[in-house]
Amino acid sequence: MPHKQMNIPAKELIDWYDRSRRDLPWRAADVTAWQILVSEFMLQQTPVARVLPIWPDWVRRWPTPSATAAASAADVLRAWGKLGYPRRAKRLHECATVIARDHDDVVPDDVDALMTLPGVGSYTARAIACFAYRRPVPVVDTNVRRVVARAVHGLADAGAPSAARDHADVAALLPDDERAPQFSIALMELGAIVCTARAPRCGLCPLDRCAWRGAGCPPVQGPARRAQTYAGTDRQVRGRLLDVLRANDSPVTRAELDVAWLTDPAQRDRALDSLLADGLVTRTVDGRFALLGEG
Ligand code: SF4
């Protein structure tokens, strides 16, 4: 058995997952590949707790790619609500349209075909292939990179991402049998709920041979990372402007948008310009503003 696999033994990890996994609705046995894809779009850069209230209603309302494609882009943006990064909603709508039109309403099952879809990058393609179709592909997110950095390499934190190196790292850990997809899922879950960034709960961890813990938990090397803030950012201003548009069924005037952010008019203008450039907002012929497709 290769050395790396000894640090993360499949049996211990998968047994732990079976005992400790979170009961998330998109993990239920009757959830379709499309509904898993929707969850992956929503979970990009967004915590589980914010996706939980949105996903069930969404997949009930639009259970298939064709049902989603038939909805208006504005309705999709509205239902996206406060999930943030609203370009994802637009991409999801485009993705539904392509699957309905070019793939007989069925989500493709291989990574290369998945990566041709709008909004589907390397991580999302692998996650769908693994979670929905049980393909034995490495699925590498921030949580997985951190577990591997600690358990295998003895480092407090993963370095800069490198798709080729990270995939090779995790591919070397996957068991060479039908347990591979379950192993990938369990590794992600361990990083999400036990081997967390700030306070790993090593006492609950099934990995007895973790290299980082074995080395006495050495600190992070290099400068500390600055925490990301949201207040006052262009993202927050974009969110405020979209809130106004979502709350109105008809186009709004410039003055109605202006009151959403009075602190810095130049920043507000920049945020509005970026929403127009991203195609999330349109300008009507009489100079008012509306959600995509409602102008
Ligand atoms: S022992 Fe601690 S640091 Fe190592 S993988 Fe488990 S939770 Fe992470």
Side-chain angles (χ1 to χ4, degrees):
M1 180 188 282
H3 173 70
K4 282 181 175 183
Q5 287 190 331
M6 290 176 63
N7 288 50
I8 306 189
K11 181 172 185 331
E12 280 78 353
L13 180 64
I14 292 170
D15 284 353
W16 167 83
Y17 178 76
D18 290 341
R19 285 193 310 271
S20 314
R21 70 194 199 123
R22 290 167 296 174
D23 185 18
L24 301 175
W26 44 87
R27 288 179 175 167
D30 58 349
V31 170
T32 66
W34 169 252
Q35 294 163 351
I36 289 173
L37 182 151
V38 171
S39 75
E40 286 300 326
F41 268 66
M42 291 183 174
L43 288 164
Q44 290 164 7
Q45 298 164 292
T46 302
V48 164
R50 287 181 48 205
V51 175
L52 281 172
I54 306 271
W55 182 87
D57 289 341
W58 185 293
V59 297
R60 250 192 307 275
R61 184 175 181 188
W62 297 309
T64 60
S66 52
T68 315
S72 75
D75 276 348
V76 169
L77 266 178
R78 229 176 232 115
W80 194 258
K82 306 279 285 176
L83 277 175
Y85 296 104
R87 266 177 289 195
R88 291 177 296 168
K90 183 164 175 268
R91 292 266 183 282
L92 180 57
H93 191 242
E94 292 163 359
C95 182
T97 305
V98 172
I99 295 174
R101 188 190 61 212
D102 300 343
H103 297 277
D104 287 334
D105 219 17
V106 177
V107 177
D109 62 1
D110 94 23
V111 170
D112 289 341
L114 283 160
M115 281 181 65
T116 66
L117 300 171
V120 177
S122 171
Y123 163 76
T124 305
R126 290 163 182 279
I128 296 162
C130 177
F131 304 162
Y133 295 113
R134 302 281 143 176
R135 294 291 156 112
V137 291
V139 187
V140 185
D141 71 348
T142 312
N143 291 327
V144 168
R145 294 177 64 247
R146 185 172 56 253
V147 176
V148 173
R150 289 175 178 164
V152 176
H153 300 300
L155 301 170
D157 217 343
S162 148
R165 190 195 57 219
D166 295 340
H167 288 150
D169 240 7
V170 176
L173 295 167
L174 291 181
D176 195 14
D177 54 36
E178 74 288 345
R179 295 173 302 167
Q182 199 70 347
F183 179 93
S184 279
I185 296 167
L187 199 55
M188 287 185 73
E189 187 75 345
L190 188 72
I193 64 176
V194 171
C195 193
T196 55
R198 296 218 180 137
R201 302 194 292 162
C202 302
L204 300 177
C205 184
L207 308 184
D208 290 339
R209 295 185 214 185
C210 168
W212 186 62
R213 191 162 50 157
C217 307
V220 178
Q221 293 171 346
R225 290 205 205 128
R226 279 192 301 143
Q228 284 188 341
T229 53
Y230 177 67
T233 60
D234 285 6
R235 268 190 62 221
Q236 186 185 23
V237 187
R238 283 164 57 100
R240 292 273 181 90
L241 297 175
L242 285 174
D243 285 346
V244 174
L245 293 162
R246 274 196 207 100
N248 285 278
D249 287 332
S250 50
V252 301
T253 63
R254 180 71 186 233
E256 287 173 284
L257 281 181
D258 285 354
V259 293
W261 191 261
L262 296 167
T263 330
D264 182 345
Q267 188 183 27
R268 185 183 63 223
D269 291 349
R270 190 167 66 235
L272 181 57
D273 284 348
S274 74
L275 289 170
L276 288 162
D278 287 345
L280 295 169
V281 172
T282 50
R283 202 188 303 247
T284 60
V285 284
D286 61 358
R288 291 182 297 159
F289 297 87
L291 285 179
L292 172 67
E294 282 195 330

